[in-house]
Amino acid sequence: MPQNCGKGEKLMKLREEQTFGIARKIKANMTGESWEHITHSVVSYEADVTELMPLIKKMNEGATKENKITVNSVMLKIITEGIKVMPLINSHLEFNRKLVRGTLKVFDTINISIPMVLPTGEMMTVNLRDMEKKSISEMDKAVKETVKKAQNSDINEALYGVSFNDTITGLKKGKVLQAVRRLYGSKMPGKHKVKTLGGEEKKRYYAIPESERLSQKDLEQGTITVSNLGSVYREGTQRCYMLQIVPPQTCVIALLSIRKEPVVVTDENGEDKIAIRQILPMTLAFDHRAYDYPDIIPFFRRLDEIFADPSVIKEWK
């Protein structure tokens, strides 16, 4: 059987061969490191947003399309409020398995990494900084401004700068072999060479103010990742059962599309009945090396409180 494998592959009709660009290289490297080292533990949470959605609609009355608050921004605020009562998930982990030594760095600053789809169809992750200080409107503005900056950015140039700085940081920490391999893999001639700007094109690009294009601080590692899968496929009915944590982060949260589902509710007479409710499924994956399931209960309890009485979002606008 093994002797025929090569022949069988030659008989297959190849549609195309895609060489990884820098964005795919970074994702492949980070996700590979994630599954190789992190002990993932995954929890599903179903948010009942039936009362929340009319409130968002009310808050947007009279607003222009550009100024309307999105469900995504409201959910980012709700998640941020959950993080405030359970800061362990807003952390980075340093763990040496050989020496069995670990350090968990828990942050007060909440910098949320969010994956976004660019106009080119490519996906990249950006860093929304200081979210613990922002209102819903300020969060919404930060997201929209980042989208605009992404439209003015060259993905290869922006990511190469971040990757190069990361390589130099690794070199300073003594990771010489890793640095040499990365530089060789990205800049040696051939189809795998990372194509960056040069000459006049490079001058024109860097003449764009940093406030109008993605800079290193927009692309550097956040403290936690929130991925809105529902925004990519709003009419979808899919579920998310597994997520990869991006090291050194210890937690990632995915939001799915809102759907109508039958739910058991208790009426004013204390009787149980079936009602059609709007449910927003969420998936949370955490690094089991850093903390345990009971540790994240305060996060879910805070979310329970907010969804039970979502009128509190009016104070956060």
Side-chain angles (χ1 to χ4, degrees):
M1 182 70 179
Q3 292 85 347
N4 296 328
C5 288
K7 292 180 181 179
E9 186 174 336
K10 290 179 182 179
L11 293 173
M12 298 178 190
K13 185 177 180 181
L14 183 66
R15 172 178 289 189
E16 62 177 316
E17 185 174 283
Q18 298 182 355
T19 301
F20 281 11
I22 187 168
R24 182 52 57 187
K25 284 183 178 183
I26 291 173
K27 291 169 191 170
N29 182 64
M30 294 300 289
T31 54
E33 183 181 344
S34 172
W35 293 114
E36 184 177 353
H37 297 291
I38 294 176
T39 54
H40 292 70
S41 185
V42 183
V43 182
S44 295
Y45 178 88
E46 295 194 342
D48 188 332
V49 296
T50 310
E51 275 76 43
L52 176 67
M53 297 307 290
L55 285 173
I56 297 174
K57 185 176 180 180
K58 184 75 174 177
M59 291 167 67
N60 281 325
E61 284 183 357
T64 61
K65 184 178 180 181
E66 293 75 19
N67 294 325
K68 284 186 176 181
I69 293 170
T70 65
V71 175
N72 180 67
S73 297
V74 173
M75 290 304 301
L76 286 176
K77 179 61 177 176
I78 292 172
I79 288 169
T80 299
E81 292 301 310
I83 293 170
K84 288 178 181 179
V85 300
M86 201 290 167
L88 275 183
I89 65 175
N90 190 54
S91 60
H92 286 178
L93 176 65
E94 293 178 359
F95 184 75
N96 186 316
R97 190 172 182 181
K98 291 180 180 179
L99 298 177
V100 198
R101 293 176 179 174
T103 302
L104 189 65
K105 297 180 179 180
V106 183
F107 302 101
D108 282 328
T109 303
I110 301 174
N111 292 344
I112 300 181
S113 298
I114 62 164
M116 64 167 52
V117 180
L118 302 177
T120 59
E122 296 173 293
M123 180 172 282
M124 69 184 303
T125 300
V126 296
N127 182 16
L128 301 178
R129 306 170 72 86
D130 303 317
M131 297 294 269
E132 78 285 355
K133 301 176 182 177
K134 290 180 169 60
S135 65
I136 296 175
S137 297
E138 289 169 335
M139 288 183 175
D140 199 70
K141 182 180 178 182
V143 172
K144 289 171 181 174
E145 286 180 349
T146 303
V147 171
K148 287 182 180 179
K149 287 199 287 186
Q151 293 171 346
N152 291 331
S153 301
D154 183 281
I155 182 74
N156 286 349
E157 194 69 29
L159 289 177
Y160 181 75
V162 174
S163 179
F164 182 80
N165 287 332
D166 183 58
T167 300
I168 297 302
T169 300
L171 191 59
K172 290 177 180 178
K173 292 181 178 180
K175 299 178 181 179
V176 179
L177 185 58
Q178 180 192 72
V180 171
R181 285 173 173 169
R182 284 186 174 185
L183 292 171
Y184 177 85
S186 63
K187 279 303 181 184
M188 285 300 291
K191 65 180 182 178
H192 295 286
K193 180 180 178 180
V194 175
K195 296 178 177 63
T196 52
L197 301 177
E200 290 299 319
E201 192 176 21
K202 187 171 184 176
K203 288 181 181 179
R204 286 194 299 271
Y205 179 72
Y206 284 101
I208 302 172
E210 278 199 2
S211 59
E212 297 177 17
R213 59 176 169 84
L214 294 176
S215 62
Q216 184 176 346
K217 70 176 184 178
D218 295 312
L219 298 172
E220 66 187 11
Q221 184 72 267
T223 56
I224 187 171
T225 294
V226 178
S227 181
N228 191 345
L229 304 177
S231 66
V232 179
Y233 187 25
R234 292 182 181 178
E235 66 275 23
T237 58
Q238 69 281 356
R239 300 274 183 178
C240 178
Y241 297 105
M242 181 58 76
L243 289 167
Q244 71 273 356
I245 301 162
V246 180
Q249 294 178 11
T250 64
C251 184
V252 57
I253 298 171
L255 306 176
L256 279 296
S257 53
I258 298 172
R259 65 196 68 175
K260 292 180 180 180
E261 293 188 359
V263 177
V264 176
V265 298
T266 305
D267 62 21
E268 61 276 8
N269 300 317
E271 298 291 330
D272 289 341
K273 63 179 182 179
I274 302 294
I276 302 300
R277 309 287 291 180
Q278 288 181 285
I279 302 298
L280 192 160
M282 297 172 57
T283 304
L284 182 149
F286 67 92
D287 190 336
H288 218 320
R289 299 173 303 172
Y291 38 84
D292 303 310
Y293 176 71
D295 294 319
I296 64 174
I297 296 301
F299 174 82
F300 291 121
R301 281 185 175 153
R302 181 61 180 134
L303 264 59
D304 286 343
E305 292 172 358
I306 295 169
F307 291 120
D309 182 16
S311 61
V312 69
I313 70 167
K314 291 185 286 187
E315 301 172 16
W316 299 335
K317 183 178 179 182

